[in-house]
Amino acid sequence: MCLGLLCNSGSDHQGSKMELQRSSLYSTLDQVPQLEHYTSTLPHQQARKRPSLEALRKAFKIRCMLNIWGVILFLRLSWITSQAGILLTCLIVMMSVTVTTATALSISAIATNGRIISGGTYFLISRSLGPEIGAPIGMVFSFANALACALNTVGFAEVVQYLNQIIWFVNDVRIVGVITVTILLFISLAGMEWESKTQILFFIALMISFASYLVGTVIPHGTIKQAQGIFGYRGEIFVSNLKPDWRGPDGNFFRMFAIFFPATTGILSGVNICGDLKDPSTAIPKGTLLAIFWTTISYLVVPLTVGACVLRDASGNISDILTVNSTGVCVGLACNLGWNFTDCTQTQSCRYGLANSLQVLGQISAFYYLITLGVFAASLSSALGFLVSAPKIFQCLCRDNIYPYIGFFGKGYGKNDEPLRAYILCYVIAVAFIVIAELNTIAALISNFFLCVYGLINFSCFHASITNSPGWRPAFHYYSKWAALYGAVIAVLLMFLFTWWAALVTFSIIFFLFEYVNYTKPKVNWGSSVQASTYNMALSSSVSLSGVEDHIKNFRPQCLVLTGPPNQRPALVDFVASFTKHISLMICGDIIMEEERQTRPQDATDLLVKWMNKRKVRSFYTPLSADGLRAGARNLLQASGLGKLKPNTLVLGFKSNWRESSPESIEDYINTIYDTFDSNYNLCILRMMDGLDIIDFEPDEVRNDNQQSSDDISDKGDSDQIKTVFQSDQGKKTIDVYWIADDGGLTLLVPYLLTRRKRWCRSKVRVFIVGDEQNMDESHKQMIALLKRFRLDFNDVIVMTDSEKRPHSKNLSRFVDSVAPFRLWDEQQEGVSAQELKQNAPWKISDKQFEAFRLKTERKVRLNEIIRRNSQNAALVLVSLPVPQSDCPSALYMAWLDTLTCGLHCPAVLIRGNQQNVLTFYCQ
């Protein structure tokens, strides 16, 4: 190989055209970029190999039942039976119980996995799945409880309307509803003691009314009740009511399901007041499951009994009784029972019967007004329970400060910390929906919200189970992750089967609230199962990658950055983050000297991680104690990373104070560069012309004084508000790449990754290469061809034909003067050998060494002249880093690095790959 001469390209191309083969300015072995170095993946082709780094380095409970027994039991269950029939009604009940039982098991598991406080369902989900899921559910569930309060209040108003036996208008229902919810509000404001006593009275009244109904089904029924279609237990009535008889616009199975389902939503009532329970971990599982069992029995008893006792249609007219003198046509089951309801059935004017009267349970009861009392108790107890639950859930959500502008409602009052402001808000929402005054409409809306909550509760349990987190140890063992998954899937399916548009609206609201929390990233850490799942996925992916062989197409510059405390060198952090964020690994290494560890704050690591998060830097922070820079860097080079997630590139800050530093400090710095190449790492050295250190120092910030003074690795001061050049829009400035030596393509890859960022996307990349005037066009064409094959949109290539000229004498003299303090001047000292002087000062440059490296020195000075001439207005300059030879003195090599990048007004990067390809133009 001969410098500057044309050489044959190889034995495989005998007789072919002559190709340009040049060494770089740094070494006769170090070659300029050539296309043939990247053909290693081409079949049946033998690529020309670039020299290795080694070659270059050579010297050369009750509450639940009350809330479940709601207004649906007395006002709608008999009507649902007339529509769906006994069989489908029981199916609806059992399907609802299936969902609620699975949810109750999930609740019991979550509630017994540690101590729970106020906040109910929101607290359980948020602490299990994290704030991103928990906060939207807390908001929606608070709203759903307010709607449920409105539902039961409207049911109460309808009963009051019926008892008056006069024609009411919709506004009358609204007036009674608003008055009722206002009274309930005052009971709630009086405190939990008054609310609990009121609920006990409601429970007693409800049990009496239900017993009255059961007695009424077995006692004989007179003519008046028979005219209303009530005949007691009859087998033919039971058989006729088994099958469905869909009527009106609401006549379908899923509509009936949607109307009934809110009757089962009270299972969360005990959870919602968990803060007021003496032992929530015991009371919630026991009370919830027992409540579901007994209310399920009652919900099955009603359709079975009422369906065996009451006809679907009856006129209520005593004159419709059949006698021996009766004439006319009689059609239907009533004819066999001695009544003729044919006229009202055909004209659809029947006022009684399962399909026409909502007061069937009262009519069949032994004492009518006891059922009315039960309706009052059921509707008012449920309304009161939901009115209490909603504010307590919302109070906990407000106190977590996840959403803005709601903290006002989190304030508590009194010894029980009552959320009075949240009570008022819930009251306003309930009144707003009472104005709708349509029980079926409100019930359908509530079903959707509650199903969504049920689905997420079940998913929380399932997700916590499959993550295998050691922290998931519920005291309640009678749950199943598969039952939880079933409950979650069924809940979502039912949402769309009930009211598909409401389901879409519900998910849209939750998705919007989720995205807000995900964007703001609240500063909370609840040890959620999402964190455990993220850990499992990361671990699994890392292990999977370990068995995959590396490929050039998947190469990413994974950077170990010696930042010291990252907040003290923001420019270095921002530079690396500019081309690694969302692409590859970045680790900020902080080498802590032994004497500095004693004064280091205990929370320094947390503060620095928070600083990086605030600056939106995606990086790991790794502090390491060591005796010096080289020892710490060597340990980091060997131990950083995990599997394939291991750094392959070391990034340093330029040692700008090298002239004033101790010889040991310079040796440490240069030896770190040597170790980097010996470890087969890539290397980048960033030089900011105004220095990397921050001048304004705050005494309360994390600092590393010795590292600042000796290694220039850490910065000074609070950099939270400091905006570096890498955070600014670069406009149409240029990124100048001086690709002097072929290092495998890293010198081109880094600027390409930078131009993919918004702040650098308009910057134009210029590539400078070494050449001579005779072959300038050929060099230009070859480099353009190479860049096109790399699919890099770098079209501006400049061939430097004057790089081998001697530098200006004043620049060369400036270099000689800069290294003068580091020379032995052994030839000028008589009587003392160079070896003796070298032993006393091994870091110094002997006259023989200075002369041996004179040519290399002149080329670097000359290259700096070219760089300053062409790149004064550039946004960033990247220059191929010369690989240090093992016999090159540290001070001389440090002077070369200084000379290459001095005199610029923009950041400069000395960059060198490990001589292995990181770019390829082949698909395989």
Side-chain angles (χ1 to χ4, degrees):
M1 185 182 299
C2 48
L3 180 62
L5 297 180
L6 291 174
C7 301
N8 196 300
S9 61
S11 60
D12 291 338
H13 298 275
Q14 299 248 348
S16 64
K17 67 176 183 178
M18 303 293 287
E19 295 182 358
L20 186 67
Q21 181 179 350
R22 293 178 54 91
S23 59
S24 76
L25 295 176
Y26 298 153
S27 169
T28 56
L29 285 179
D30 204 359
Q31 297 178 12
V32 297
Q34 298 178 49
L35 184 147
E36 291 76 11
H37 293 160
Y38 297 87
T39 60
S40 58
T41 56
L42 184 63
H44 312 300
Q45 289 281 342
Q46 182 176 0
R48 177 184 297 159
K49 294 183 179 180
R50 65 177 68 86
S52 65
L53 278 175
E54 183 180 2
L56 292 172
R57 286 276 292 118
K58 285 182 180 179
F60 217 54
K61 188 160 154 194
I62 284 181
R63 175 174 298 275
C64 286
M65 293 180 67
L66 281 170
N67 280 268
I68 298 174
W69 274 333
V71 69
I72 301 296
L73 175 67
F74 292 102
L75 294 183
R76 287 294 182 270
L77 192 52
S78 60
W79 175 73
I80 292 173
T81 304
S82 74
Q83 291 269 349
I86 296 173
L87 293 177
L88 290 183
T89 301
C90 291
L91 179 61
I92 289 173
V93 172
M94 293 310 298
M95 288 178 64
S96 300
V97 169
T98 301
V99 178
T100 55
T101 302
T103 307
L105 294 175
S106 299
I107 290 173
S108 301
I110 298 173
T112 58
N113 190 50
R115 179 177 177 269
I116 58 175
I117 57 175
S118 63
T121 306
Y122 160 70
F123 183 87
L124 294 181
I125 296 179
S126 62
R127 270 56 178 180
S128 179
L129 289 180
E132 294 85 358
I133 299 295
I137 288 304
M139 188 74 76
V140 170
F141 194 54
S142 301
F143 186 65
N145 275 267
L147 289 187
C149 175
L151 165 76
N152 289 276
T153 305
V154 171
F156 171 79
E158 286 189 0
V159 177
V160 175
Q161 175 191 19
Y162 179 82
L163 289 175
N164 279 268
Q165 297 293 325
I166 59 174
I167 299 176
W168 276 35
F169 298 99
V170 175
N171 284 338
D172 299 321
V173 176
R174 293 169 179 163
I175 292 171
V176 173
V178 171
I179 293 174
T180 303
V181 78
T182 302
I183 295 173
L184 295 178
L185 173 65
F186 284 118
I187 295 175
S188 302
L189 294 177
M192 285 300 297
E193 293 181 1
W194 280 88
E195 191 266 346
S196 297
K197 293 177 181 178
T198 305
Q199 292 284 28
I200 292 175
L201 294 176
F202 286 153
F203 179 73
I204 295 173
L206 196 147
M207 295 300 294
I208 293 174
S209 64
F210 195 72
S212 175
Y213 162 73
L214 293 177
V215 171
T217 61
V218 297
I219 62 176
H221 298 285
T223 303
I224 295 178
K225 288 195 174 182
Q226 289 184 356
Q228 297 173 348
I230 303 171
F231 293 90
Y233 290 106
R234 299 291 182 92
E236 57 267 43
I237 296 178
F238 182 80
V239 172
S240 67
N241 286 331
L242 282 176
K243 296 181 180 181
D245 181 16
W246 306 115
R247 302 182 184 183
D250 292 333
N252 63 77
F253 177 80
F254 289 106
R255 182 61 174 167
M256 294 301 107
F257 200 161
I259 292 173
F260 171 78
F261 189 78
T264 66
T265 56
I267 64 169
L268 299 178
S269 299
V271 181
N272 292 338
I273 61 162
C274 57
D276 300 303
L277 298 176
K278 184 177 181 180
D279 185 8
S281 297
T282 302
I284 289 175
K286 185 177 180 180
T288 304
L289 292 173
L290 285 175
I292 290 177
F293 174 77
W294 289 113
T295 53
T296 300
I297 298 298
S298 67
Y299 282 140
L300 291 174
V301 164
V302 170
L304 290 172
T305 54
V306 77
C309 297
V310 185
L311 296 173
R312 278 192 170 97
D313 296 297
S315 64
N317 191 349
I318 300 178
S319 62
D320 287 338
I321 190 171
L322 289 177
T323 63
V324 294
N325 298 322
S326 298
T327 59
V329 179
C330 185
V331 179
L333 178 62
C335 301
N336 299 331
L337 300 174
W339 291 84
N340 186 357
F341 299 138
T342 305
D343 290 342
C344 77
T345 302
Q346 292 178 347
T347 60
Q348 298 182 354
S349 59
C350 296
R351 295 172 50 209
Y352 294 91
L354 291 176
N356 305 293
S357 174
L358 300 178
Q359 309 296 329
V360 171
L361 268 64
Q363 295 162 359
I364 201 175
S365 174
F367 301 97
Y368 179 87
Y369 289 105
L370 285 181
I371 286 294
T372 303
L373 178 64
V375 174
F376 285 175
S379 57
L380 292 178
S381 66
S382 296
L384 180 59
F386 287 122
L387 185 61
V388 170
S389 298
K392 290 186 177 294
I393 297 171
F394 194 63
Q395 181 187 39
C396 185
L397 175 63
C398 295
R399 288 180 172 177
D400 284 338
N401 295 319
I402 295 176
Y403 293 115
Y405 312 120
I406 62 173
F408 172 81
F409 299 100
K411 183 177 176 57
Y413 295 88
K415 63 178 182 179
N416 292 326
D417 197 31
E418 295 293 339
L420 302 185
R421 297 176 180 177
Y423 275 127
I424 301 300
L425 178 62
C426 179
Y427 168 78
V428 172
I429 295 173
V431 168
F433 279 87
I434 287 172
V435 172
I436 297 177
E438 286 290 336
L439 195 62
N440 293 355
T441 304
I442 299 176
L445 290 172
I446 296 174
S447 296
N448 228 282
F449 287 137
F450 274 92
L451 276 170
C452 182
V453 174
Y454 286 0
L456 280 170
I457 290 174
N458 283 301
F459 181 75
S460 298
C461 181
F462 170 75
H463 195 267
S465 300
I466 64 171
T467 55
N468 296 320
S469 173
W472 175 247
R473 303 185 302 275
F476 181 83
H477 301 293
Y478 306 102
Y479 74 96
S480 168
K481 60 183 177 182
W482 303 116
L485 179 61
Y486 164 80
V489 173
I490 291 298
V492 174
L493 288 177
L494 291 178
M495 288 179 66
F496 286 94
L497 291 174
F498 285 175
T499 317
W500 65 267
W501 60 265
L504 291 177
V505 171
T506 302
F507 279 115
S508 297
I509 294 172
I510 291 177
F511 181 76
F512 173 78
L513 295 173
F514 168 83
E515 282 298 321
Y516 175 83
V517 178
N518 192 46
Y519 176 77
T520 56
K521 296 187 182 344
K523 297 179 180 179
V524 294
N525 184 8
W526 296 326
S528 68
S529 62
V530 173
Q531 294 173 339
S533 177
T534 302
Y535 172 85
N536 284 347
M537 288 189 293
L539 184 60
S540 177
S541 299
S542 298
V543 173
S544 299
L545 278 175
S546 298
V548 179
E549 188 176 351
D550 291 333
H551 194 281
I552 299 173
K553 290 191 296 183
N554 295 326
F555 175 85
R556 298 160 188 262
Q558 302 189 129
C559 297
L560 169 62
V561 193
L562 297 188
T563 59
N567 66 335
Q568 297 173 9
R569 299 196 79 187
L572 187 59
V573 173
D574 292 341
F575 164 65
V576 180
S578 297
F579 62 87
T580 60
K581 189 174 183 180
H582 301 299
I583 294 176
S584 60
L585 175 70
M586 176 180 175
I587 299 176
C588 290
D590 184 3
I591 301 172
I592 305 169
M593 306 305 176
E594 185 65 29
E595 59 273 14
E596 299 160 6
R597 189 171 57 181
Q598 306 299 329
T599 59
R600 182 180 174 88
Q602 292 184 351
D603 60 344
T605 298
D606 292 336
L607 291 174
L608 293 169
V609 171
K610 289 179 180 178
W611 177 86
M612 289 192 296
N613 292 335
K614 184 176 180 180
R615 206 171 179 88
K616 298 181 180 180
V617 174
R618 295 172 65 94
S619 174
F620 297 99
Y621 171 68
T622 304
L624 179 73
S625 297
D627 295 332
L629 171 65
R630 184 185 185 185
R634 182 184 296 171
N635 291 335
L636 287 172
L637 288 170
Q638 294 176 358
S640 294
L642 178 68
K644 295 294 183 181
L645 296 178
K646 182 178 178 61
N648 54 32
T649 304
L650 181 70
V651 183
L652 291 167
F654 181 75
K655 190 173 182 61
S656 56
N657 63 342
W658 67 277
R659 292 185 180 87
E660 295 81 25
S661 300
S662 64
E664 294 80 9
S665 174
I666 299 175
E667 283 286 315
D668 228 15
Y669 185 85
I670 298 302
N671 285 332
T672 299
I673 296 177
Y674 292 170
D675 293 340
T676 302
F677 289 128
D678 291 340
S679 301
N680 205 35
Y681 269 59
N682 307 306
L683 178 64
C684 290
I685 299 177
L686 174 66
R687 181 174 190 177
M688 304 292 291
M689 294 308 114
D690 53 355
L692 285 167
D693 293 347
I694 299 173
I695 302 304
D696 299 324
F697 182 79
E698 297 293 338
D700 59 338
E701 288 296 319
V702 182
R703 61 178 295 175
N704 193 336
D705 290 332
N706 290 327
Q707 214 169 304
Q708 292 164 5
S709 61
S710 63
D711 300 323
D712 195 27
I713 300 301
S714 61
D715 283 333
K716 310 167 186 175
D718 179 8
S719 57
D720 286 348
Q721 305 300 324
I722 292 180
K723 187 174 183 180
T724 65
V725 64
F726 300 103
Q727 291 183 317
S728 304
D729 191 337
Q730 301 302 316
K732 295 184 179 181
K733 293 181 179 180
T734 63
I735 300 176
D736 290 349
V737 180
Y738 290 84
W739 200 14
I740 308 303
D742 193 347
D743 58 352
L746 183 69
T747 308
L748 294 180
L749 182 60
V750 169
Y752 166 73
L753 294 176
L754 280 173
T755 56
R756 294 173 61 180
R757 299 297 180 188
K758 183 179 179 181
R759 296 185 179 98
W760 297 83
C761 62
R762 293 188 296 163
S763 298
K764 179 181 179 182
V765 179
R766 300 190 300 175
V767 180
F768 294 81
I769 61 173
V770 177
D772 52 46
E773 293 183 0
Q774 294 179 351
N775 299 286
M776 183 174 64
D777 293 338
E778 183 67 19
S779 300
H780 185 272
K781 289 179 182 180
Q782 288 185 6
M783 182 53 62
I784 290 291
L786 181 61
L787 296 176
K788 285 184 177 180
R789 291 199 179 189
F790 285 150
R791 302 172 304 284
L792 299 174
D793 191 19
F794 303 165
N795 296 319
D796 198 349
V797 175
I798 296 98
V799 180
M800 299 180 294
T801 60
D802 56 349
S803 58
E804 295 181 7
K805 293 181 179 180
R806 280 186 57 83
H808 292 93
S809 57
K810 63 175 182 179
N811 295 326
L812 190 57
S813 299
R814 188 182 299 116
F815 176 85
V816 172
D817 294 339
S818 68
V819 297
F822 300 93
R823 293 184 61 180
L824 282 174
W825 304 104
D826 49 295
E827 294 182 358
Q828 300 179 13
Q829 300 186 35
E830 298 179 357
V832 182
S833 65
Q835 290 184 349
E836 292 176 345
L837 293 172
K838 196 70 174 175
Q839 288 178 353
N840 296 328
W843 61 87
K844 288 195 174 185
I845 310 166
S846 67
D847 293 343
K848 185 176 179 180
Q849 288 174 324
F850 188 78
E851 287 300 321
F853 290 105
R854 176 178 291 276
L855 182 59
K856 295 179 182 295
T857 298
E858 291 180 357
R859 288 182 176 177
K860 290 171 179 59
V861 174
R862 177 56 184 165
L863 182 57
N864 173 255
E865 294 175 352
I866 298 174
I867 294 173
R868 284 188 292 155
R869 183 182 65 201
N870 293 297
S871 302
Q872 283 295 344
N873 298 320
L876 179 67
V877 173
L878 293 96
V879 185
S880 294
L881 175 74
V883 176
Q885 296 173 0
S886 57
D887 59 346
C888 180
S890 299
L892 181 60
Y893 184 71
M894 195 72 234
W896 286 352
L897 301 186
D898 189 11
T899 298
L900 280 172
T901 54
C902 70
L904 296 176
H905 302 300
C906 64
V909 179
L910 291 163
I911 183 169
R912 186 71 185 221
N914 62 358
Q915 302 301 107
Q916 296 176 4
N917 288 349
V918 301
L919 295 174
T920 180
F921 42 78
Y922 296 111
C923 297
Q924 60 203 52

